[in-house]
Amino acid sequence: MTLHEYDVVIVGAGGAGMRAALESSKRARTACLTKLYPTRSHTGAAQGGMAAALSNVEDDNAEWHTFDTIKGGDYLVDQDAAEILCKEAVQAVLDLENMGLPFNRTEGGTIDQRRFGGHTRNHGEAAVRRACYSADRTGHMILQTLYQQCIKQEVEFYNEYYVLDLILDKDPQGTPEGEEVSVAGVIAYELATGEIHTFRAKSVIFATGGAGKVFKTTSNAHTLTGDGMAIAFNAGLPLEDMEFFQFHPTGLAGLGILLSEAARGEGGILRNSEGERFMERYAPTIKDLAPRDMVARAMANEVREGRGCGPHKDYVLLDLTHLEPAHIDAKLPDITEFARTYLGVEPYTEPVPVYPTAHYAMGGIPTNVHGEVLRNNTDKVKGLYAAGECACVSVHGANRLGTNSLLDINVFGRRAGIAAAEHALETAEAAPLDETAAETLNSTVERLRSTVGTSEAESVADIRRELQATMDRNVQVFRDADSLQQAQKDVAALRERFTKIAIHDRGKRYNTDLLEAIELGFLLDLSEVVVLGALNREESRGGHYREDFPTRDDEKFMQHTMVYGGDDLRLDYKPVVVTRYQPMERKY
Amino acid sequence: MTATAEASTPAGEVPSFEVTLRIRRMNPEGTSEHGEGEEYWEEFKVQAHATDRVLDALHMVKWDQDGSLAFRRSCAHGVCGSDAMRINARNRLACKTLLKDLNPAKPIIIEPIKGLPVEKDLIVDMEPFFASYREIMPFLMTDGPAPERERLQSPEERQRFDDTTKCIMCAACTTSCPVFWTDGQYFGPQAIVGAHRFIFDSRDEGQWERLEILNDKAGVWKCRTAFNCTEACPRGIEVTKAISEVKKVLNTGEI
Ligand SMILES: Cc1cc2nc3c(=O)[nH]c(=O)nc-3n(C[C@H](O)[C@H](O)[C@H](O)COP(=O)(O)OP(=O)(O)OC[C@H]3O[C@@H](n4cnc5c(N)ncnc54)[C@H](O)[C@@H]3O)c2cc1C
Ligand code: SF4
Ligand code: FES
């Protein structure tokens, strides 16, 4: 077991983590710990673009962007945070360009912009070109550019280090409100050697990304197991709005790989097993281009009512066959490649099987606009920050607008990096670190190793498969009290079985078997929180749709859900910050 | 063709079949049957569908038969660069190679990529690979103060280096290069791709510094145009072409 000391430790090297590292490492001694090589982070999978009211091609401004973000989030957005996001968006894009990001260009040589769902001119008058993009590889370019800058700045990375525990100096729930609780460091497991490392730090930033693997069908990577959220939760911190998960309508059926919204923007049509253009029934005016949550629900409904396609009638079809092949090649090259490679479907002549895919966690670790983590509705944990998909500021509320996450990771990654470094510089010494913490993790790991060869043990893969299946079945686009109670029961039973697992690999070196077991533990923790929040929220808002409560209830539920851990989960609420936008009906 | 259920024949309708994976293994700590660091072959049979990827087949082994099998993966759709491996003697991404495109009647042979030290099973030490990338100063270099707005660049100028911006650093190219296998010093094709992306970027002013590095004995002149790299690249980057463009600049002194 090794002890390291830094001013700032960043956990995660995706867009949010590396943007933070660039700021922090300029100011203070910084380490960036990441379970993947930085360039493997899932920020690289983002396609569509990054929103900013540059006004390069059409008249636009930050206020319109703010309004769209709040309305898109179905009024669960903290409006002060949304104002910051949209105001700082322009500089965030320019910063990336100055760092070298190869954006697509206008004829005049400025950054080009394109349309995206929910982004409008003057409070909904018409669509506006706000998304800055680099072909359909915007996330890849952001990740590469930030990594290149990190090389230039000689950021100190600890690659393939899995952070598994967060150490605070006091129990954040046992400590009375108003009293100070500080971060002391994190404990990490080194994949190559199996060694446990303690990182003591004055500031810690969590930037561990999403948790899509809670579900079976997802656009998220295998490694997006919500580690940061679960670790914070297990350290006694609350999680905010976890019941809000975005399901993107068009994932490749059975695989969940994302097909961009652009497919329907270019004229693609969704059809059921009868060949019917079913969106005409659900949204007579805008049809296939209705908002993401509406389209996803319509698709799920077709399948539920027996009009799904394929041998198991479990998907619908995205039909592009009426489009010219040349048009498809020019505008939708990625989709054609994914459909051909993974389903063997030729989109020129065959419709593509699609189904909603779990895409984005709106909720996460609660923070204020400086990225400081909250331990209740008002008190922050000194020195602890979170940014990116694992955090909940909340700029996305109940439903994130397309292209606002790449923006979020840059704006709030930067803010967290600056705040963490400044805090470290003002702090004489890191909080005292409980020396038994590493020992505790070590014994957890040793206990798992000792399960190798146990007879009649449970299998990690089976539990994970069953968890993902029940979450897909019961907590997806349609939810009601019955389905959620079923999920709650299933998760509880799986948690029980999880205590009896055995792994296969006893080794110390590259023991990914062991880590998958630990990651499954995180998924189980988070599933429980998602389900509880969903069960309790007896209304429908954004990505959370309750069939037994199909309308939005601002009186009771225009507030954030806060779930606390411990022996029994505890639910609380936090008011939404409203600056100037009063809730109104979400119509497009 | 009409868009009906009958018209589509995607996943699921294809019956499952048995596939044999023949995997090159090595456990640095040894197993009950194999010594520390000993390399050996092991066969596994899995029940698969034609639409399954090699990565799915590896997961079937890891999840249901032998959890100690070690390999890297993340995105599972060819964008993160984690899972380059030698599959039937060709470098490919396991997540982008479908079983139906291989001959399922014969065992599928899976080995770690060549030329980097094997750490365990299909995992190699990527550090030398990333070190070469860092050598070529892979970041925009400009003189003078930062501009207030974006630096201007025409669509044509942007297009000039588009191909090499697609690189996901999977190392399929570098580890398919015969020169890289035998020469201890050659940067390998990926580093040159990484340099090309900046040399041909109209905004960059550090080209000559970078070209000097590539002109070095470990640089572009080691390339013997074997074309293996271009064939291996899962992103369809014309790697050999990028290398020859860099050579040309060095020969002519003009970009
Ligand atoms: C297919 C797809 C397309 C998308 N397209 C868009 C788009 O067009 N526009 C848009 O705005 N948004 C888009 N999004 C959303 C957006 O890409 C993500 O929300 C965002 O990139 C998340 O960035 P992040 O830095 O928070 O996390 P990530 O990029 O996922 O990085 C997480 C990091 O944390 C590390 N980590 C995790 N756990 C641990 C641990 N225990 N210990 C150490 N390190 C750990 C990982 O190694 C990784 O480096 C898309 C998402 C997907 C899946
Ligand atoms: S050039 Fe192609 S093969 Fe080489 S590292 Fe980049 S993506 Fe991989
Ligand atoms: S797992 Fe990401 S490229 Fe294969």
Side-chain angles (χ1 to χ4, degrees):
Chain A
M1 282 182 262
T2 313
L3 176 71
H4 309 256
E5 299 202 45
Y6 283 91
D7 288 329
V8 179
V9 163
I10 298 170
V11 185
M18 288 202 283
R19 190 67 188 82
L22 288 176
E23 297 302 329
S24 170
S25 66
K26 267 200 293 225
R27 298 170 169 85
R29 211 171 144 255
T30 301
C32 188
L33 278 51
T34 169
K35 73 177 185 181
L36 304 172
Y37 274 89
T39 57
R40 313 301 185 214
S41 305
H42 211 55
T43 291
Q47 307 164 357
M50 169 169 165
L54 292 185
S55 305
N56 275 1
V57 284
E58 281 175 2
D59 199 18
D60 196 7
N61 66 56
E63 194 275 321
W64 295 350
H65 185 185
T66 307
F67 171 80
D68 290 338
T69 299
I70 292 165
K71 182 180 168 195
D74 221 351
Y75 296 91
L76 199 69
V77 172
D78 282 332
Q79 300 186 2
D80 55 341
E83 283 172 13
I84 288 171
L85 178 82
C86 301
K87 226 177 271 162
E88 295 185 4
V90 174
Q91 195 55 48
V93 166
L94 295 178
D95 283 349
L96 288 170
E97 195 285 332
N98 289 175
M99 289 177 198
L101 196 141
F103 281 108
N104 274 39
R105 300 290 171 155
T106 63
E107 283 308 319
T110 57
I111 296 169
D112 197 14
Q113 298 185 274
R114 66 177 169 207
R115 298 202 171 106
F116 235 85
H119 290 283
T120 71
R121 178 164 57 86
N122 195 17
H123 313 98
E125 251 176 40
V128 72
R129 290 170 61 175
R130 184 178 288 150
C132 310
Y133 66 101
S134 181
D136 43 13
R137 297 187 274 268
T138 314
H140 167 75
M141 300 302 185
I142 289 177
L143 195 68
Q144 294 291 326
T145 302
L146 292 174
Y147 181 59
Q148 290 156 358
Q149 290 297 307
C150 285
I151 291 176
K152 182 176 177 192
Q153 235 173 271
E154 298 182 5
V155 170
E156 210 177 322
F157 286 108
Y158 287 83
N159 295 323
E160 302 194 315
Y161 274 58
Y162 285 65
V163 169
L164 299 179
D165 208 354
L166 165 67
I167 313 301
L168 308 176
D169 67 343
K170 284 183 223 132
D171 170 14
Q173 293 321 310
T175 308
E177 272 186 40
E179 260 179 52
E180 213 165 82
V181 175
S182 302
V183 76
V186 296
I187 319 275
Y189 175 100
E190 184 185 1
L191 181 66
T193 61
E195 204 193 326
I196 308 278
H197 296 258
T198 302
F199 287 81
R200 191 170 174 224
K202 297 171 186 171
S203 299
V204 170
I205 305 175
F206 270 39
T208 53
K213 279 290 153 179
V214 159
F215 295 93
K216 174 167 170 257
T217 311
T218 174
S219 64
N220 283 197
H222 282 289
T223 47
L224 286 176
T225 45
D227 304 9
M229 301 172 189
I231 292 165
F233 185 67
N234 290 329
L237 300 172
L239 291 177
E240 181 173 345
D241 289 341
M242 289 297 286
E243 65 271 32
F244 292 100
F245 220 96
Q246 180 168 79
F247 298 92
H248 194 293
T250 52
L252 281 184
L255 297 171
I257 297 170
L258 195 76
L259 299 186
S260 167
E261 226 163 50
R264 282 167 289 135
E266 296 297 337
I269 290 171
L270 293 165
R271 298 188 192 278
N272 61 20
S273 60
E274 290 155 17
E276 183 203 9
R277 181 178 194 179
F278 60 86
M279 280 312 297
E280 283 176 334
R281 265 187 283 120
Y282 296 89
T285 336
I286 43 176
K287 302 184 182 90
D288 301 90
L289 282 172
R292 277 182 191 178
D293 52 341
M294 275 184 68
V295 179
R297 279 195 293 275
M299 290 166 64
N301 196 50
E302 289 302 298
V303 165
R304 197 167 53 169
E305 292 182 355
R307 292 186 297 277
C309 309
H312 308 297
K313 296 183 146 302
D314 55 357
Y315 53 77
V316 300
L317 296 169
L318 176 64
D319 187 1
L320 305 171
T321 56
H322 53 292
L323 304 180
E324 284 300 318
H327 184 70
I328 292 179
D329 284 350
K331 299 292 174 101
L332 308 168
D334 256 26
I335 286 167
T336 38
E337 174 167 350
F338 288 156
R340 280 184 204 115
T341 306
Y342 293 110
L343 291 183
V345 168
E346 174 48 70
Y348 295 161
T349 53
E350 292 169 273
V352 184
V354 290
Y355 197 74
T357 182
H359 186 55
Y360 185 84
M362 267 77 74
I365 306 167
T367 74
N368 63 19
V369 296
H370 307 291
E372 293 170 297
V373 171
L374 302 174
R375 70 179 170 97
N376 53 39
N377 286 4
T378 47
D379 290 321
K380 53 200 194 212
V381 179
K382 281 194 87 165
L384 183 60
Y385 304 80
E389 193 167 336
C390 74
C392 182
V393 194
S394 145
V395 287
H396 307 303
N399 173 59
R400 172 176 72 83
L401 279 194
T403 69
N404 262 357
S405 175
L406 291 179
L407 176 58
D408 174 8
I409 61 179
N410 277 286
V411 166
F412 290 100
R414 173 177 170 277
R415 284 181 154 247
I418 294 171
E422 283 176 352
H423 171 78
L425 295 179
E426 287 161 9
T427 307
E429 212 191 332
L433 189 137
D434 174 7
E435 274 159 27
T436 60
E439 203 37 68
T440 311
L441 179 63
N442 195 45
S443 48
T444 308
V445 167
E446 285 310 325
R447 195 196 64 75
L448 274 170
R449 282 207 180 97
S450 72
T451 62
V452 174
T454 317
S455 58
E456 302 197 12
E458 294 284 349
S459 129
V460 169
D462 284 346
I463 296 177
R464 185 176 46 220
R465 272 188 287 252
E466 288 177 44
L467 173 71
Q468 292 169 339
T470 187
M471 291 299 284
D472 263 24
R473 197 163 49 239
N474 296 310
V475 198
Q476 224 226 19
V477 298
F478 287 122
R479 305 164 171 185
D480 64 21
D482 286 346
S483 76
L484 292 167
Q485 273 156 4
Q486 183 61 49
Q488 205 169 35
K489 247 199 287 178
D490 291 347
V491 175
L494 291 168
R495 284 187 79 95
E496 179 56 33
R497 284 169 57 191
F498 183 66
T499 61
K500 303 188 196 99
I501 56 163
I503 62 170
H504 298 232
D505 191 349
R506 201 192 295 275
K508 283 192 168 290
R509 310 216 38 214
Y510 290 95
N511 191 340
T512 49
D513 190 36
L514 173 87
L515 288 156
E516 283 192 24
I518 295 175
E519 288 171 334
L520 173 61
F522 295 151
L523 293 177
L524 285 164
D525 293 339
L526 295 180
S527 302
E528 211 176 8
V529 177
V530 171
V531 173
L532 181 69
L535 194 52
N536 209 69
R537 186 172 283 275
E538 297 184 331
E539 66 155 354
S540 291
R541 183 187 297 270
H544 169 71
Y545 188 83
R546 284 284 299 259
E547 292 190 276
D548 40 358
F549 300 95
T551 53
R552 195 174 80 193
D553 181 353
D554 287 334
E555 205 119 295
K556 252 173 96 182
F557 288 110
M558 203 176 113
Q559 43 185 350
H560 302 290
T561 303
M562 301 283 272
V563 176
Y564 295 81
D567 287 340
D568 285 307
L569 299 192
R570 182 166 64 83
L571 251 159
D572 198 5
Y573 295 99
K574 189 173 85 163
V576 171
V577 180
V578 176
T579 56
R580 54 191 287 196
Y581 305 95
Q582 290 307 317
M584 50 186 216
E585 201 190 337
R586 190 162 147 265
K587 271 203 310 223
Y588 287 93
Chain B
M1 183 183 275
T2 52
T4 62
E6 291 73 46
S8 75
T9 50
E13 282 179 21
V14 189
S16 71
F17 52 89
E18 193 181 77
V19 188
T20 304
L21 305 180
R22 198 168 143 71
I23 303 175
R24 186 76 173 161
R25 301 203 61 178
M26 187 282 271
N27 190 322
E29 296 161 277
T31 68
S32 49
E33 283 132 52
H34 300 276
E36 289 174 21
E38 179 192 335
E39 296 190 33
Y40 60 99
W41 293 99
E42 188 165 359
E43 287 197 358
F44 296 92
K45 291 190 193 314
V46 296
Q47 221 30 57
H49 294 98
T51 49
D52 284 330
R53 299 155 262 189
V54 170
L55 180 62
D56 296 312
L58 288 171
H59 274 146
M60 288 176 212
V61 172
K62 184 172 181 68
W63 291 343
D64 298 322
Q65 300 184 39
D66 181 358
S68 75
L69 179 67
F71 53 91
R72 292 191 177 98
R73 87 310 187 233
S74 184
C75 73
H77 67 287
V79 297
C80 79
S82 295
D83 60 343
M85 44 189 85
R86 250 168 99 80
I87 300 169
N88 288 350
R90 250 192 69 193
N91 279 3
R92 324 181 202 223
L93 297 176
C95 68
K96 227 184 159 178
T97 307
L98 270 76
L99 295 177
K100 74 169 169 51
D101 298 331
L102 305 168
N103 178 2
K106 286 215 227 143
I108 296 168
I109 298 171
I110 304 174
E111 301 162 86
I113 44 179
K114 268 169 76 168
L116 292 167
V118 177
E119 295 281 324
K120 180 178 178 182
D121 295 337
L122 302 170
I123 294 181
V124 299
D125 179 7
M126 295 293 286
E127 240 346 281
F129 171 80
F130 281 106
S132 291
Y133 180 65
R134 290 194 294 267
E135 289 275 314
I136 53 95
M137 302 200 279
F139 37 78
L140 193 73
M141 290 193 268
T142 55
D143 303 328
E148 283 199 0
R149 287 286 296 196
E150 64 263 54
R151 293 190 171 81
L152 298 182
Q153 180 169 60
S154 73
E156 295 70 36
E157 287 168 334
R158 166 66 179 76
Q159 192 54 36
R160 181 68 191 83
F161 63 104
D162 187 61
D163 201 35
T164 45
T165 63
K166 298 187 301 198
C167 175
I168 54 173
M169 302 207 259
C170 68
C173 54
T174 295
T175 60
S176 69
C177 172
V179 182
F180 179 78
W181 294 337
T182 50
D183 183 304
Q185 299 193 309
Y186 180 38
F187 290 155
Q190 192 285 329
I192 304 170
V193 165
H196 180 281
R197 178 252 169 273
F198 287 101
I199 291 167
F200 292 93
D201 185 334
S202 58
R203 299 168 298 174
D204 191 77
E205 290 160 297
Q207 295 98 332
W208 294 107
E209 231 176 301
R210 211 174 275 115
L211 281 161
E212 198 150 309
I213 299 169
L214 294 177
N215 201 14
D216 184 83
K217 59 183 187 327
V220 286
W221 305 113
K222 295 262 181 188
C223 166
R224 295 198 312 256
T225 339
F227 276 98
N228 287 19
C229 51
T230 302
E231 265 169 52
C233 180
R235 293 282 266 194
I237 297 170
E238 294 182 89
V239 182
T240 315
K241 183 173 164 212
I243 296 174
S244 52
E245 285 176 355
V246 172
K247 285 180 181 168
K248 193 168 159 215
V249 173
L250 283 170
N251 278 330
T252 62
E254 275 169 44
I255 296 174

